[in-house]
Amino acid sequence: MMGRVKDITGLDPDLARDIDGCCRLTGEFTLRSGQVASEYFDKYLFEADPTLLSRVARAMVQLLPEDTDLLGGLELGGIPIATMVSSLTGRPVVFVRKKAKEYGTCKLAEGPDATGRRVTLIEDVITTGGAVRDATKALREVGAVVEVVVCAIDRSPEGENPLADVGLEVRPVLTRSQMDATRSV
């Protein structure tokens, strides 16, 4: 059952502007696709800033489904945010790797056992949702219940859910249109 999305409008009206101002870089950047862009969004800049990270985490707390047992921080960008949200809520966190370790415990998810537990994924930025999709499938394979991902920024096209194919609800703190609107102010 999908939880209701809480309305957080007005929670931190300057957050989009402050993150955009910190993270949007101009210059010449080669993207993962090989394309060259004149702008680049460096999400690690807000995650490395304790004040911005705290503001994002506080906004995420408002979006968590009430029945969340565990937070699932995705490697790499979701881990600092999930840790901060865990600290604010007292909910334990499981750290989800991009692929299982090939040594030691050989785990994909580090921390408490997720089997039979409701895991809300925590991610920094979602555009196509590839990493979230992979983590969702992997956690479900070990018996976790994964229905919601809370992200700092949803950069997917307006009105589209890039994770609908895996039945995942996306709850963003900010959207691409909110970030872009800061540029026209």
Side-chain angles (χ1 to χ4, degrees), residues 100-138:
K101 291 192 316 187
E102 296 179 0
Y103 58 91
T105 60
C106 300
K107 290 182 179 180
L108 174 80
E110 300 287 351
D113 184 12
T115 305
R117 299 177 82 183
R118 299 186 79 71
V119 178
T120 297
L121 298 178
I122 304 292
E123 181 63 307
D124 51 6
V125 177
I126 293 175
T127 303
T128 62
V132 175
R133 184 178 289 102
D134 293 345
T136 298
K137 289 177 182 177

PDB file of all heavy atoms in Angstrom, residues 100-138:
ATOM      1  N   ALA A 100      27.390  -6.340  -4.949  1.00  0.00           N
ATOM      2  CA  ALA A 100      27.807  -7.028  -3.732  1.00  0.00           C
ATOM      3  C   ALA A 100      29.332  -7.133  -3.669  1.00  0.00           C
ATOM      4  O   ALA A 100      30.010  -7.262  -4.695  1.00  0.00           O
ATOM      5  CB  ALA A 100      27.193  -8.422  -3.674  1.00  0.00           C
ATOM      6  N   LYS A 101      29.840  -7.053  -2.430  1.00  0.00           N
ATOM      7  CA  LYS A 101      31.279  -7.245  -2.234  1.00  0.00           C
ATOM      8  C   LYS A 101      31.659  -8.649  -2.705  1.00  0.00           C
ATOM      9  O   LYS A 101      30.861  -9.570  -2.614  1.00  0.00           O
ATOM     10  CB  LYS A 101      31.647  -7.156  -0.744  1.00  0.00           C
ATOM     11  CG  LYS A 101      31.519  -5.828  -0.129  1.00  0.00           C
ATOM     12  CD  LYS A 101      32.152  -5.726   1.257  1.00  0.00           C
ATOM     13  CE  LYS A 101      31.879  -6.868   2.194  1.00  0.00           C
ATOM     14  NZ  LYS A 101      32.384  -6.615   3.550  1.00  0.00           N
ATOM     15  N   GLU A 102      32.868  -8.782  -3.162  1.00  0.00           N
ATOM     16  CA  GLU A 102      33.348 -10.092  -3.602  1.00  0.00           C
ATOM     17  C   GLU A 102      34.246 -10.730  -2.559  1.00  0.00           C
ATOM     18  O   GLU A 102      34.929 -11.709  -2.837  1.00  0.00           O
ATOM     19  CB  GLU A 102      34.055  -9.948  -4.946  1.00  0.00           C
ATOM     20  CG  GLU A 102      33.106  -9.498  -6.050  1.00  0.00           C
ATOM     21  CD  GLU A 102      33.783  -9.323  -7.389  1.00  0.00           C
ATOM     22  OE1 GLU A 102      35.009  -9.540  -7.501  1.00  0.00           O
ATOM     23  OE2 GLU A 102      33.074  -8.943  -8.341  1.00  0.00           O
ATOM     24  N   TYR A 103      34.239 -10.202  -1.351  1.00  0.00           N
ATOM     25  CA  TYR A 103      35.072 -10.723  -0.272  1.00  0.00           C
ATOM     26  C   TYR A 103      34.320 -10.568   1.041  1.00  0.00           C
ATOM     27  O   TYR A 103      33.253  -9.949   1.090  1.00  0.00           O
ATOM     28  CB  TYR A 103      36.410  -9.970  -0.221  1.00  0.00           C
ATOM     29  CG  TYR A 103      36.238  -8.480  -0.030  1.00  0.00           C
ATOM     30  CD1 TYR A 103      36.220  -7.920   1.255  1.00  0.00           C
ATOM     31  CD2 TYR A 103      36.066  -7.632  -1.113  1.00  0.00           C
ATOM     32  CE1 TYR A 103      36.034  -6.564   1.437  1.00  0.00           C
ATOM     33  CE2 TYR A 103      35.879  -6.267  -0.932  1.00  0.00           C
ATOM     34  CZ  TYR A 103      35.867  -5.742   0.345  1.00  0.00           C
ATOM     35  OH  TYR A 103      35.679  -4.404   0.534  1.00  0.00           O
ATOM     36  N   GLY A 104      34.863 -11.119   2.104  1.00  0.00           N
ATOM     37  CA  GLY A 104      34.242 -10.987   3.429  1.00  0.00           C
ATOM     38  C   GLY A 104      32.836 -11.538   3.443  1.00  0.00           C
ATOM     39  O   GLY A 104      32.594 -12.688   3.086  1.00  0.00           O
ATOM     40  N   THR A 105      31.869 -10.710   3.803  1.00  0.00           N
ATOM     41  CA  THR A 105      30.477 -11.153   3.905  1.00  0.00           C
ATOM     42  C   THR A 105      29.776 -11.230   2.560  1.00  0.00           C
ATOM     43  O   THR A 105      28.674 -11.775   2.460  1.00  0.00           O
ATOM     44  CB  THR A 105      29.674 -10.189   4.813  1.00  0.00           C
ATOM     45  OG1 THR A 105      29.734  -8.884   4.239  1.00  0.00           O
ATOM     46  CG2 THR A 105      30.223 -10.178   6.233  1.00  0.00           C
ATOM     47  N   CYS A 106      30.364 -10.646   1.534  1.00  0.00           N
ATOM     48  CA  CYS A 106      29.813 -10.650   0.171  1.00  0.00           C
ATOM     49  C   CYS A 106      28.402 -10.065   0.112  1.00  0.00           C
ATOM     50  O   CYS A 106      27.562 -10.485  -0.676  1.00  0.00           O
ATOM     51  CB  CYS A 106      29.829 -12.066  -0.418  1.00  0.00           C
ATOM     52  SG  CYS A 106      31.487 -12.781  -0.530  1.00  0.00           S
ATOM     53  N   LYS A 107      28.146  -9.079   0.934  1.00  0.00           N
ATOM     54  CA  LYS A 107      26.815  -8.471   1.003  1.00  0.00           C
ATOM     55  C   LYS A 107      26.630  -7.334   0.007  1.00  0.00           C
ATOM     56  O   LYS A 107      27.560  -6.593  -0.278  1.00  0.00           O
ATOM     57  CB  LYS A 107      26.567  -7.902   2.398  1.00  0.00           C
ATOM     58  CG  LYS A 107      26.398  -8.929   3.474  1.00  0.00           C
ATOM     59  CD  LYS A 107      26.111  -8.221   4.794  1.00  0.00           C
ATOM     60  CE  LYS A 107      25.904  -9.190   5.923  1.00  0.00           C
ATOM     61  NZ  LYS A 107      25.639  -8.457   7.181  1.00  0.00           N
ATOM     62  N   LEU A 108      25.392  -7.197  -0.442  1.00  0.00           N
ATOM     63  CA  LEU A 108      24.990  -6.040  -1.244  1.00  0.00           C
ATOM     64  C   LEU A 108      24.529  -4.920  -0.316  1.00  0.00           C
ATOM     65  O   LEU A 108      24.775  -3.752  -0.569  1.00  0.00           O
ATOM     66  CB  LEU A 108      23.844  -6.416  -2.184  1.00  0.00           C
ATOM     67  CG  LEU A 108      23.263  -5.241  -2.963  1.00  0.00           C
ATOM     68  CD1 LEU A 108      24.150  -4.914  -4.157  1.00  0.00           C
ATOM     69  CD2 LEU A 108      21.846  -5.514  -3.393  1.00  0.00           C
ATOM     70  N   ALA A 109      23.863  -5.317   0.774  1.00  0.00           N
ATOM     71  CA  ALA A 109      23.328  -4.345   1.729  1.00  0.00           C
ATOM     72  C   ALA A 109      24.007  -4.552   3.077  1.00  0.00           C
ATOM     73  O   ALA A 109      23.918  -5.629   3.665  1.00  0.00           O
ATOM     74  CB  ALA A 109      21.822  -4.506   1.853  1.00  0.00           C
ATOM     75  N   GLU A 110      24.677  -3.506   3.544  1.00  0.00           N
ATOM     76  CA  GLU A 110      25.404  -3.561   4.804  1.00  0.00           C
ATOM     77  C   GLU A 110      24.562  -2.959   5.925  1.00  0.00           C
ATOM     78  O   GLU A 110      23.944  -1.916   5.746  1.00  0.00           O
ATOM     79  CB  GLU A 110      26.724  -2.788   4.702  1.00  0.00           C
ATOM     80  CG  GLU A 110      27.668  -3.307   3.639  1.00  0.00           C
ATOM     81  CD  GLU A 110      28.324  -4.622   4.001  1.00  0.00           C
ATOM     82  OE1 GLU A 110      28.205  -5.086   5.149  1.00  0.00           O
ATOM     83  OE2 GLU A 110      28.974  -5.198   3.104  1.00  0.00           O
ATOM     84  N   GLY A 111      24.571  -3.608   7.065  1.00  0.00           N
ATOM     85  CA  GLY A 111      23.803  -3.128   8.203  1.00  0.00           C
ATOM     86  C   GLY A 111      22.778  -4.167   8.607  1.00  0.00           C
ATOM     87  O   GLY A 111      22.968  -5.355   8.385  1.00  0.00           O
ATOM     88  N   PRO A 112      21.651  -3.713   9.165  1.00  0.00           N
ATOM     89  CA  PRO A 112      20.646  -4.665   9.638  1.00  0.00           C
ATOM     90  C   PRO A 112      20.039  -5.482   8.501  1.00  0.00           C
ATOM     91  O   PRO A 112      20.001  -5.038   7.358  1.00  0.00           O
ATOM     92  CB  PRO A 112      19.576  -3.786  10.294  1.00  0.00           C
ATOM     93  CG  PRO A 112      19.961  -2.382  10.069  1.00  0.00           C
ATOM     94  CD  PRO A 112      21.285  -2.336   9.396  1.00  0.00           C
ATOM     95  N   ASP A 113      19.542  -6.663   8.834  1.00  0.00           N
ATOM     96  CA  ASP A 113      18.883  -7.535   7.872  1.00  0.00           C
ATOM     97  C   ASP A 113      17.594  -6.864   7.397  1.00  0.00           C
ATOM     98  O   ASP A 113      16.768  -6.426   8.208  1.00  0.00           O
ATOM     99  CB  ASP A 113      18.571  -8.878   8.532  1.00  0.00           C
ATOM    100  CG  ASP A 113      17.963  -9.890   7.587  1.00  0.00           C
ATOM    101  OD1 ASP A 113      17.980  -9.660   6.352  1.00  0.00           O
ATOM    102  OD2 ASP A 113      17.465 -10.923   8.075  1.00  0.00           O
ATOM    103  N   ALA A 114      17.412  -6.796   6.092  1.00  0.00           N
ATOM    104  CA  ALA A 114      16.238  -6.135   5.517  1.00  0.00           C
ATOM    105  C   ALA A 114      15.102  -7.108   5.219  1.00  0.00           C
ATOM    106  O   ALA A 114      14.008  -6.678   4.859  1.00  0.00           O
ATOM    107  CB  ALA A 114      16.636  -5.394   4.239  1.00  0.00           C
ATOM    108  N   THR A 115      15.315  -8.387   5.396  1.00  0.00           N
ATOM    109  CA  THR A 115      14.308  -9.387   5.074  1.00  0.00           C
ATOM    110  C   THR A 115      12.995  -9.130   5.817  1.00  0.00           C
ATOM    111  O   THR A 115      12.983  -9.005   7.041  1.00  0.00           O
ATOM    112  CB  THR A 115      14.817 -10.808   5.414  1.00  0.00           C
ATOM    113  OG1 THR A 115      16.058 -11.017   4.753  1.00  0.00           O
ATOM    114  CG2 THR A 115      13.819 -11.869   4.989  1.00  0.00           C
ATOM    115  N   GLY A 116      11.919  -9.009   5.049  1.00  0.00           N
ATOM    116  CA  GLY A 116      10.598  -8.814   5.626  1.00  0.00           C
ATOM    117  C   GLY A 116      10.343  -7.419   6.179  1.00  0.00           C
ATOM    118  O   GLY A 116       9.294  -7.166   6.768  1.00  0.00           O
ATOM    119  N   ARG A 117      11.276  -6.520   6.001  1.00  0.00           N
ATOM    120  CA  ARG A 117      11.136  -5.160   6.549  1.00  0.00           C
ATOM    121  C   ARG A 117      10.835  -4.160   5.447  1.00  0.00           C
ATOM    122  O   ARG A 117      11.231  -4.340   4.298  1.00  0.00           O
ATOM    123  CB  ARG A 117      12.415  -4.793   7.292  1.00  0.00           C
ATOM    124  CG  ARG A 117      12.622  -5.781   8.463  1.00  0.00           C
ATOM    125  CD  ARG A 117      13.865  -5.557   9.204  1.00  0.00           C
ATOM    126  NE  ARG A 117      13.689  -4.478  10.177  1.00  0.00           N
ATOM    127  CZ  ARG A 117      14.677  -4.034  10.935  1.00  0.00           C
ATOM    128  NH1 ARG A 117      15.882  -4.534  10.837  1.00  0.00           N
ATOM    129  NH2 ARG A 117      14.456  -3.068  11.801  1.00  0.00           N
ATOM    130  N   ARG A 118      10.144  -3.083   5.830  1.00  0.00           N
ATOM    131  CA  ARG A 118       9.788  -2.016   4.887  1.00  0.00           C
ATOM    132  C   ARG A 118      10.969  -1.051   4.801  1.00  0.00           C
ATOM    133  O   ARG A 118      11.297  -0.375   5.771  1.00  0.00           O
ATOM    134  CB  ARG A 118       8.535  -1.304   5.354  1.00  0.00           C
ATOM    135  CG  ARG A 118       7.318  -2.245   5.437  1.00  0.00           C
ATOM    136  CD  ARG A 118       6.053  -1.510   5.754  1.00  0.00           C
ATOM    137  NE  ARG A 118       5.504  -0.853   4.581  1.00  0.00           N
ATOM    138  CZ  ARG A 118       4.928  -1.471   3.547  1.00  0.00           C
ATOM    139  NH1 ARG A 118       4.833  -2.772   3.535  1.00  0.00           N
ATOM    140  NH2 ARG A 118       4.459  -0.787   2.548  1.00  0.00           N
ATOM    141  N   VAL A 119      11.575  -1.006   3.631  1.00  0.00           N
ATOM    142  CA  VAL A 119      12.750  -0.170   3.403  1.00  0.00           C
ATOM    143  C   VAL A 119      12.351   1.010   2.517  1.00  0.00           C
ATOM    144  O   VAL A 119      11.818   0.822   1.425  1.00  0.00           O
ATOM    145  CB  VAL A 119      13.890  -0.963   2.726  1.00  0.00           C
ATOM    146  CG1 VAL A 119      15.087  -0.066   2.453  1.00  0.00           C
ATOM    147  CG2 VAL A 119      14.298  -2.169   3.572  1.00  0.00           C
ATOM    148  N   THR A 120      12.595   2.214   3.008  1.00  0.00           N
ATOM    149  CA  THR A 120      12.424   3.412   2.183  1.00  0.00           C
ATOM    150  C   THR A 120      13.804   3.813   1.691  1.00  0.00           C
ATOM    151  O   THR A 120      14.703   4.068   2.499  1.00  0.00           O
ATOM    152  CB  THR A 120      11.788   4.564   2.989  1.00  0.00           C
ATOM    153  OG1 THR A 120      10.473   4.166   3.391  1.00  0.00           O
ATOM    154  CG2 THR A 120      11.691   5.833   2.145  1.00  0.00           C
ATOM    155  N   LEU A 121      13.964   3.809   0.380  1.00  0.00           N
ATOM    156  CA  LEU A 121      15.256   4.165  -0.195  1.00  0.00           C
ATOM    157  C   LEU A 121      15.482   5.667  -0.105  1.00  0.00           C
ATOM    158  O   LEU A 121      14.540   6.459  -0.209  1.00  0.00           O
ATOM    159  CB  LEU A 121      15.338   3.715  -1.651  1.00  0.00           C
ATOM    160  CG  LEU A 121      15.237   2.204  -1.881  1.00  0.00           C
ATOM    161  CD1 LEU A 121      15.279   1.896  -3.365  1.00  0.00           C
ATOM    162  CD2 LEU A 121      16.330   1.468  -1.138  1.00  0.00           C
ATOM    163  N   ILE A 122      16.744   6.044   0.082  1.00  0.00           N
ATOM    164  CA  ILE A 122      17.159   7.443   0.149  1.00  0.00           C
ATOM    165  C   ILE A 122      18.214   7.650  -0.936  1.00  0.00           C
ATOM    166  O   ILE A 122      19.236   6.960  -0.964  1.00  0.00           O
ATOM    167  CB  ILE A 122      17.769   7.795   1.530  1.00  0.00           C
ATOM    168  CG1 ILE A 122      16.797   7.482   2.667  1.00  0.00           C
ATOM    169  CG2 ILE A 122      18.235   9.247   1.551  1.00  0.00           C
ATOM    170  CD1 ILE A 122      15.566   8.355   2.737  1.00  0.00           C
ATOM    171  N   GLU A 123      17.961   8.603  -1.825  1.00  0.00           N
ATOM    172  CA  GLU A 123      18.887   8.889  -2.922  1.00  0.00           C
ATOM    173  C   GLU A 123      19.078  10.389  -3.035  1.00  0.00           C
ATOM    174  O   GLU A 123      18.217  11.170  -2.611  1.00  0.00           O
ATOM    175  CB  GLU A 123      18.335   8.296  -4.217  1.00  0.00           C
ATOM    176  CG  GLU A 123      19.198   8.489  -5.434  1.00  0.00           C
ATOM    177  CD  GLU A 123      20.563   7.825  -5.402  1.00  0.00           C
ATOM    178  OE1 GLU A 123      21.311   8.053  -4.435  1.00  0.00           O
ATOM    179  OE2 GLU A 123      20.903   7.122  -6.363  1.00  0.00           O
ATOM    180  N   ASP A 124      20.191  10.801  -3.609  1.00  0.00           N
ATOM    181  CA  ASP A 124      20.444  12.222  -3.768  1.00  0.00           C
ATOM    182  C   ASP A 124      19.706  12.780  -4.985  1.00  0.00           C
ATOM    183  O   ASP A 124      18.832  13.621  -4.855  1.00  0.00           O
ATOM    184  CB  ASP A 124      21.940  12.547  -3.789  1.00  0.00           C
ATOM    185  CG  ASP A 124      22.737  11.719  -4.773  1.00  0.00           C
ATOM    186  OD1 ASP A 124      22.149  10.946  -5.564  1.00  0.00           O
ATOM    187  OD2 ASP A 124      23.975  11.840  -4.757  1.00  0.00           O
ATOM    188  N   VAL A 125      20.046  12.306  -6.183  1.00  0.00           N
ATOM    189  CA  VAL A 125      19.439  12.819  -7.404  1.00  0.00           C
ATOM    190  C   VAL A 125      18.954  11.642  -8.247  1.00  0.00           C
ATOM    191  O   VAL A 125      19.678  10.664  -8.425  1.00  0.00           O
ATOM    192  CB  VAL A 125      20.448  13.668  -8.213  1.00  0.00           C
ATOM    193  CG1 VAL A 125      19.841  14.133  -9.529  1.00  0.00           C
ATOM    194  CG2 VAL A 125      20.922  14.864  -7.386  1.00  0.00           C
ATOM    195  N   ILE A 126      17.732  11.765  -8.757  1.00  0.00           N
ATOM    196  CA  ILE A 126      17.192  10.767  -9.679  1.00  0.00           C
ATOM    197  C   ILE A 126      16.936  11.444 -11.014  1.00  0.00           C
ATOM    198  O   ILE A 126      16.281  12.485 -11.065  1.00  0.00           O
ATOM    199  CB  ILE A 126      15.874  10.164  -9.146  1.00  0.00           C
ATOM    200  CG1 ILE A 126      16.126   9.345  -7.883  1.00  0.00           C
ATOM    201  CG2 ILE A 126      15.190   9.314 -10.227  1.00  0.00           C
ATOM    202  CD1 ILE A 126      14.865   8.820  -7.225  1.00  0.00           C
ATOM    203  N   THR A 127      17.470  10.852 -12.071  1.00  0.00           N
ATOM    204  CA  THR A 127      17.181  11.333 -13.416  1.00  0.00           C
ATOM    205  C   THR A 127      16.461  10.219 -14.178  1.00  0.00           C
ATOM    206  O   THR A 127      15.302  10.343 -14.533  1.00  0.00           O
ATOM    207  CB  THR A 127      18.460  11.778 -14.150  1.00  0.00           C
ATOM    208  OG1 THR A 127      19.106  12.783 -13.357  1.00  0.00           O
ATOM    209  CG2 THR A 127      18.137  12.350 -15.531  1.00  0.00           C
ATOM    210  N   THR A 128      17.142   9.095 -14.380  1.00  0.00           N
ATOM    211  CA  THR A 128      16.507   7.941 -15.028  1.00  0.00           C
ATOM    212  C   THR A 128      16.146   6.864 -14.003  1.00  0.00           C
ATOM    213  O   THR A 128      15.336   5.996 -14.292  1.00  0.00           O
ATOM    214  CB  THR A 128      17.429   7.328 -16.097  1.00  0.00           C
ATOM    215  OG1 THR A 128      18.626   6.862 -15.457  1.00  0.00           O
ATOM    216  CG2 THR A 128      17.769   8.344 -17.176  1.00  0.00           C
ATOM    217  N   GLY A 129      16.783   6.913 -12.838  1.00  0.00           N
ATOM    218  CA  GLY A 129      16.467   5.960 -11.777  1.00  0.00           C
ATOM    219  C   GLY A 129      17.203   4.639 -11.854  1.00  0.00           C
ATOM    220  O   GLY A 129      16.845   3.695 -11.149  1.00  0.00           O
ATOM    221  N   GLY A 130      18.230   4.550 -12.675  1.00  0.00           N
ATOM    222  CA  GLY A 130      18.945   3.282 -12.857  1.00  0.00           C
ATOM    223  C   GLY A 130      19.461   2.663 -11.573  1.00  0.00           C
ATOM    224  O   GLY A 130      19.224   1.481 -11.296  1.00  0.00           O
ATOM    225  N   ALA A 131      20.169   3.431 -10.762  1.00  0.00           N
ATOM    226  CA  ALA A 131      20.734   2.895  -9.519  1.00  0.00           C
ATOM    227  C   ALA A 131      19.636   2.516  -8.530  1.00  0.00           C
ATOM    228  O   ALA A 131      19.726   1.492  -7.842  1.00  0.00           O
ATOM    229  CB  ALA A 131      21.686   3.916  -8.892  1.00  0.00           C
ATOM    230  N   VAL A 132      18.587   3.312  -8.485  1.00  0.00           N
ATOM    231  CA  VAL A 132      17.465   3.030  -7.583  1.00  0.00           C
ATOM    232  C   VAL A 132      16.742   1.759  -8.022  1.00  0.00           C
ATOM    233  O   VAL A 132      16.366   0.920  -7.206  1.00  0.00           O
ATOM    234  CB  VAL A 132      16.492   4.226  -7.510  1.00  0.00           C
ATOM    235  CG1 VAL A 132      15.270   3.889  -6.685  1.00  0.00           C
ATOM    236  CG2 VAL A 132      17.201   5.450  -6.955  1.00  0.00           C
ATOM    237  N   ARG A 133      16.558   1.611  -9.323  1.00  0.00           N
ATOM    238  CA  ARG A 133      15.906   0.422  -9.881  1.00  0.00           C
ATOM    239  C   ARG A 133      16.696  -0.832  -9.508  1.00  0.00           C
ATOM    240  O   ARG A 133      16.126  -1.820  -9.042  1.00  0.00           O
ATOM    241  CB  ARG A 133      15.791   0.564 -11.401  1.00  0.00           C
ATOM    242  CG  ARG A 133      15.059  -0.548 -12.102  1.00  0.00           C
ATOM    243  CD  ARG A 133      14.943  -0.296 -13.614  1.00  0.00           C
ATOM    244  NE  ARG A 133      13.999   0.791 -13.873  1.00  0.00           N
ATOM    245  CZ  ARG A 133      14.355   2.048 -14.181  1.00  0.00           C
ATOM    246  NH1 ARG A 133      15.630   2.386 -14.284  1.00  0.00           N
ATOM    247  NH2 ARG A 133      13.446   2.981 -14.391  1.00  0.00           N
ATOM    248  N   ASP A 134      18.004  -0.767  -9.684  1.00  0.00           N
ATOM    249  CA  ASP A 134      18.850  -1.926  -9.361  1.00  0.00           C
ATOM    250  C   ASP A 134      18.789  -2.258  -7.872  1.00  0.00           C
ATOM    251  O   ASP A 134      18.690  -3.425  -7.494  1.00  0.00           O
ATOM    252  CB  ASP A 134      20.309  -1.657  -9.770  1.00  0.00           C
ATOM    253  CG  ASP A 134      20.489  -1.562 -11.279  1.00  0.00           C
ATOM    254  OD1 ASP A 134      19.581  -1.973 -12.038  1.00  0.00           O
ATOM    255  OD2 ASP A 134      21.552  -1.052 -11.704  1.00  0.00           O
ATOM    256  N   ALA A 135      18.863  -1.239  -7.016  1.00  0.00           N
ATOM    257  CA  ALA A 135      18.809  -1.453  -5.571  1.00  0.00           C
ATOM    258  C   ALA A 135      17.458  -2.024  -5.159  1.00  0.00           C
ATOM    259  O   ALA A 135      17.386  -2.917  -4.301  1.00  0.00           O
ATOM    260  CB  ALA A 135      19.085  -0.148  -4.830  1.00  0.00           C
ATOM    261  N   THR A 136      16.395  -1.531  -5.764  1.00  0.00           N
ATOM    262  CA  THR A 136      15.046  -2.022  -5.455  1.00  0.00           C
ATOM    263  C   THR A 136      14.933  -3.508  -5.768  1.00  0.00           C
ATOM    264  O   THR A 136      14.476  -4.300  -4.936  1.00  0.00           O
ATOM    265  CB  THR A 136      13.988  -1.221  -6.250  1.00  0.00           C
ATOM    266  OG1 THR A 136      14.057   0.142  -5.842  1.00  0.00           O
ATOM    267  CG2 THR A 136      12.593  -1.765  -6.019  1.00  0.00           C
ATOM    268  N   LYS A 137      15.366  -3.878  -6.959  1.00  0.00           N
ATOM    269  CA  LYS A 137      15.302  -5.290  -7.367  1.00  0.00           C
ATOM    270  C   LYS A 137      16.130  -6.160  -6.435  1.00  0.00           C
ATOM    271  O   LYS A 137      15.684  -7.226  -6.000  1.00  0.00           O
ATOM    272  CB  LYS A 137      15.769  -5.445  -8.820  1.00  0.00           C
ATOM    273  CG  LYS A 137      14.782  -4.877  -9.826  1.00  0.00           C
ATOM    274  CD  LYS A 137      15.319  -4.985 -11.243  1.00  0.00           C
ATOM    275  CE  LYS A 137      14.355  -4.372 -12.245  1.00  0.00           C
ATOM    276  NZ  LYS A 137      14.873  -4.398 -13.613  1.00  0.00           N
ATOM    277  N   ALA A 138      17.334  -5.715  -6.099  1.00  0.00           N
ATOM    278  CA  ALA A 138      18.221  -6.499  -5.240  1.00  0.00           C
ATOM    279  C   ALA A 138      17.645  -6.656  -3.833  1.00  0.00           C
ATOM    280  O   ALA A 138      17.694  -7.748  -3.247  1.00  0.00           O
ATOM    281  CB  ALA A 138      19.605  -5.856  -5.180  1.00  0.00           C
TER     282      ALA A 138
END
